[in-house]
Structures are given as C-alpha cells and as structure tokens.
C-alpha cells in the first residue's frame, strides 16, 4: 500500500475510534453488595460484553458496597436520572410495589434454578412491566441471591427456639411478618453491622444467605447454621426511566438484553456456589449445620400464607405457577 493511502486510512481509523470514545456513554451502575459478590461480578461481566457489542459506544462502571448510598437513595437517583442503572434487591422495590412481596412467600421454590423459571414466568414478568409507571425505572430482568437461611448464635433445633430471639432481618413486610410469627424480635440492620452485632449480643441471629455467611464471615460468630432455603431473594436490573426515554430502540434492546442475560446467569451460578460455600463453612467446624424443611417452621407457614393471600392476589398466581414447575 502507498504510504499516503496508508496514512489516510490510519487517520480515518483513529478519527473513528476517537469519535466512538468521545461519544461514549459511561453507565453508572449501583449495588449495595460488596465488590466480591456474585451480583457485582455479573454487573462487570455485563459491562464488558456491552462495551464489546456496542463497539465502545457504552461502558459500565459498577459502584458496589453502597458507595452511592443505600438502596432507597439509589432509587431516588434512578428517578432523577443521577444514576443510570442499579442491580437492586426486590426487597427494596416492595416498599413501592407491595405486590412484589409475594415473591418472598416461604418455600415458593426449592432452589435458585426453580426461582429462575418462576421469575421468567408470566406473573413475575407482569410485575416487572409495572415498574416504569410505579417507580420511574425500567425493570430489565431478574437475578437472584442464594436461598435464605439463618445463622444463629444459639443452638437451634426447631422454629420454637427462635422465640424471644433478636433476629437481624432485611426490613420489609413479608420477612418482618415471618419472624414476628416465629415469635422473634426482628431487628433491621445493614449487613455491614451484623458481624460485630453477633459478637456483642445486639442480635442473636441473622436471616441471610450462604454467600453472606461465608464471605462476611458470620459463621465465626455463630453456633448453628439453619440451612432452610426458606425463601428466594431476587434482584432486579433497573434502568433510569429518564435515560431509557433517551435511548434509541436498538440500544434499549442491547442494554436491557445484556443486563437480563447476566442477571439470569445467577440462577445457575448459585447452584454451584452455594454447595461450595456450605462445604467451606463445614470445613471450618465453627458451626453446627442443621438442614431444615417446612416442618421446622410449624404452623407459621400457614399463618403467613393466610395474611398474604389477603394482601395480594399475586401470591395465588405465583403458587400455581410454582406448582407447575416442580
Ligand atoms: C440482605 O439484606 O440480606 C441482602 C442484601 C443484598 C444481597 C443479598 C442479601
């Protein structure tokens, strides 16, 4: 190739790439979980694929560990357009869309794979469609954390042992009711305070999942890990409604599709990660591990169901869909 032609081609290529980066949009994505958490890994993987598939038009910067504020604050930022995206607990969204509480029905699904089928089913997807109107953000897809369990600083053989105990919960109505029915005093508390609070007796136990118990080392302060898998704990990918309105349709499809794809990988991830983490915890020999099914909770499950069937018709629909998955 002639030097002059080569130079012209190089000039065009550099110009094109500068153009792409000059116009590149950095999407800021907030999470409350730590940088090492599977949700953060999913956000980063999504960002890499988005940068590649958009030819550098978009990039994603994840802000884990609540660097941008708590979830209520992030929700406001999404509404004003100060934040572009979040991978947010559905627990937080239930404060504004109470019907989503039905997703936390005890023993609705047996594991995170079933959770994936249910969350991609008609009832859960209809709930997502309501978000732009009800919270001013677009729900692009669900993922999940590992199934809920308890890490207690006291010996625990059955639900009766929870009576009068102070249990750390994520504060939202379906879980608050669950522990209230068990006779426990539910204590709302950010995850970061749990380790010390277990040590100093501010709480006696924690409603959490195996990833948190392992990564945040709660097992070091526990007596019994009740491996109950009693609820799923979904996460939702949210895009600011303001940003969404400005995006061309093909970019909405790309961003929404990739967020959903990477959130959906979590359904399978926890199948293996949860087994690995339980093994890690068992190997420390710091806590007794007790497997618990619905019978552990006695009549509390029926009482919870009666309360919530009255509060939201969505629960009956979800139960029907869940029964068909098994
Ligand atoms: C919790 O509050 O227990 C929680 C928050 C984020 C991810 C998983 C669990």
């Amino acid at each position: 190739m002639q030097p002059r032609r080569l130079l012209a081609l190089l000039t065009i290529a550099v110009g094109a790439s500068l153009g792409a980066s000059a116009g590149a949009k950095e999407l800021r994505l907030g999470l409350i979980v730590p940088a090492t958490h599977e949700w953060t890994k999913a956000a980063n993987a999504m960002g890499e694929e988005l940068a590649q598939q958009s030819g550098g038009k978009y990039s994603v910067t994840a802000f884990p560990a609540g660097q941008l504020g708590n979830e209520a604050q992030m929700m406001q930022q999404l509404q004003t357009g100060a934040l572009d995206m979040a991978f947010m607990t559905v627990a937080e969204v239930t404060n504004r869309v109470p019907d989503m509480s039905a997703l936390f029905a005890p023993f609705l699904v047996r594991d995170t794979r079933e959770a994936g089928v249910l969350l991609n089913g008609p009832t859960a997807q209809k709930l997502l469609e309501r978000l732009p109107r009800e919270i001013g953000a677009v729900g692009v897809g669900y993922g999940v954390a590992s199934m809920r369990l308890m890490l207690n600083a006291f010996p625990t053989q059955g639900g009766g042992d929870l009576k009068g105990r102070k249990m750390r919960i994520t504060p939202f109505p379906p879980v608050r009711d669950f522990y209230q029915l068990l006779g426990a005093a539910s204590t709302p508390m950010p995850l970061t305070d749990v380790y010390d609070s277990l040590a100093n007796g501010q709480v006696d136990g924690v409603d959490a999942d195996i990833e948190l118990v392992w990564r945040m080392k709660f097992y070091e302060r526990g007596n019994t890990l009740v491996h109950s898998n009693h609820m799923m704990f979904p996460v939702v990918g949210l895009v600011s409604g303001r940003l969404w309105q400005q995006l061309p349709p093909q970019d909405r499809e790309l961003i929404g599709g990739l967020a959903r794809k990477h959130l959906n990988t979590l359904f399978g991830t926890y199948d293996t990660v949860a087994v690995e983490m339980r093994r890690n915890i068992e190997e420390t020999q710091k806590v007794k591990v007790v497997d618990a099914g619905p019978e552990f909770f006695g009549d509390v499950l029926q009482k919870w169901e009666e309360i919530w069937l009255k509060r939201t018709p969505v629960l009956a629909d979800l139960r029907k869909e869940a029964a068909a998955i098994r």
Side-chain angles (χ1 to χ4, degrees), residues 23-29 56-63 84 243:
K25 164 84 181 146
E26 182 203 28
L27 300 176
R28 289 155 48 86
L29 187 154
K57 183 172 176 187
Y58 294 100
S59 67
V60 172
T61 305
F63 293 89
D84 300 311
L243 171 66

Side-chain angles (χ1 to χ4, degrees), residues 32-33 37 39 89 145 148 168 170 191 207 209 212 233:
I32 53 156
V33 292
H37 193 274
W39 294 2
T89 66
R148 299 306 272 190
R168 176 272 166 178
T170 316
L191 286 169
D207 180 274
D209 63 52
L212 300 174
F233 200 81

